[in-house]
Amino acid sequence: MTTRPNSLVRIELGPVSLRGRSVVLRPPHYADYHHWRRIRLRDQRFIEPFWYSSTLDWTARHSGTHWVRECLTGRAEARAGRRLATVIEVDGRFAGQVELGSIDRAAGAAELGIWIDAELARHGIGGMAAALLLDFGFDRIGLSRITAPISPDNVAAARGAAEIGFRREALMGRYFDVGGGRRDHDLWALTTADRPQAGFVRFWLDRYDTADPGAAPAPPDEATGASLSTLTLLLATARYYTGRLIHLFDPLRRPRSVRLADPDHPTVVLRTRRFGDWRRWRVARVGAHAALAPEADAATWARQHSFPQWVRQFLCSRPGLRSAGGLVLVIEVAGVYSGEAKLFDLDMFDRNARMLVWTDPTHPDLLRTTATRLLLTHAFGPLGLRRVATAISPDDQRSAEIATHAGMVCEGRMRAYLAPTGHRTDHDLWAITTPAPPEQSADSPTPLSEVE
């Protein structure tokens, strides 16, 4: 039993009986390997077109090493409270996987992902698995918003999302690198306002009490398949923990210095933060109170910008883009700390990130436009990102104009989204993308390591 308050290790949900079948969600085990591999190889034509791209063929992507790494990664992220990855069991047999990923308790947000044995699809089992996880996310974790990116070509997934209550909010351009190239994805979302009064599990059971889709077939007897050898387990585990040990030293490494300037506006510079910036950081943040936290009390806001708070923020973001704090650059105007430009929430597979640029409200919009363009040039150039997004309030016409001037487009409206200001309301999703080179894929080396 873990002592970490946010840990999601050893969570098991169910059993729930659906049309005579027992559905349980539990943590993945090493012993699941041959069941996972057998189903995934058999259902390749259904899964691969919507799975992240790779230079490896489908069989090589389902090796024992990959499964061990998936189990260890899921366990580590569950212990940190960032992910709840589970196996779907039907009558005690492996039938797929469902997870809540990218869990952000501060923002009350997470992302749902699921795949299920094709022989058990279209019988409500996937919906029941999702319902169990949705109830846990909203009720136990305290989430306010759960999203699901779905390819427009994945008609079955979109239909299932709509059946359980998800609503389509936006079309995200070139969002995922799947099936050999970057593809647009629809953004589907659920908020607390969409939650049925009795919960999603009760809603799903009632739905299938009144609309019989036909009895789900019994899971087939498991054929003997490739087993996970002790040597594979030991080598994969050693490699995984060696990598984690190496990354423990990331905050101690000196990050590469960044200094960006616009020839047309030479007084505006974006640069790496320095430890000695703390007093100027405090003055700038307190001065931008109305823009950053308009609903917060001014005295409380000022107290939140103490030296210990600066030290925590500085160390959290020191490793750069891959860190929990993201890449934070100072916006200087003629040497004066006037704001910050930030890239965060890096998606390692698809090279997506979010952006936040703020400046002292007394500065003209030209400053924020220049800083935004410099940041995006750096993101798509040296950093090798493929998509950068930001959230803008529908009432914030100034920010929308700045985004437009920077080449961003509005993709849709996100409901009950928690903005950096701390205000939860509807926000428009703005984004800019650049196509990935055809020779690169999600498993190819990226420029990220060269910069960070």
Side-chain angles (χ1 to χ4, degrees), residues 242-264:
T242 299
R244 291 198 65 188
L245 181 62
I246 291 172
H247 283 300
L248 287 177
F249 295 94
D250 285 349
L252 302 179
R253 295 173 181 160
R254 183 179 180 84
R256 291 194 179 185
S257 179
V258 176
R259 186 177 181 84
L260 312 173
D262 184 344
D264 295 331

Side-chain angles (χ1 to χ4, degrees), residues 103-110 142-147 169 187 189-192 292-295 342 344-345 354-356 389-394 413-429:
I103 297 174
D104 184 339
R105 292 175 188 262
L143 300 178
S144 299
R145 176 179 166 85
I146 297 176
T147 59
E169 295 183 336
L187 175 64
L190 277 169
T191 70
T192 50
L292 293 175
E295 298 182 354
K342 180 179 180 181
F344 59 106
D345 279 0
R354 292 165 59 198
M355 175 187 74
L356 173 64
T390 191
I392 299 176
S393 169
R413 183 159 296 175
M414 303 178 293
R415 300 170 299 130
Y417 180 86
L418 185 67
T421 60
H423 186 50
R424 186 180 296 281
T425 186
D426 293 355
H427 278 73
D428 289 334
L429 175 64

Side-chain angles (χ1 to χ4, degrees), residues 10-67:
R10 299 179 184 174
I11 296 297
E12 185 169 310
L13 306 176
V16 176
S17 179
L18 180 72
R19 295 292 177 184
R21 300 291 176 199
S22 175
V23 180
V24 170
L25 305 186
R26 60 158 176 82
H29 302 150
Y30 296 138
D32 293 321
Y33 167 61
H34 76 271
H35 307 304
W36 169 77
R37 175 182 166 87
R38 179 184 62 81
I39 297 173
R40 298 271 300 186
L41 294 184
R42 186 199 66 203
D43 291 347
Q44 176 182 356
R45 68 186 185 279
F46 301 115
I47 302 173
E48 188 176 22
F50 309 114
W51 213 255
Y52 66 87
S53 303
S54 173
T55 54
L56 300 175
D57 66 34
W58 192 246
T59 300
R61 296 172 70 183
H62 293 82
S63 65
T65 298
H66 279 73
W67 179 246

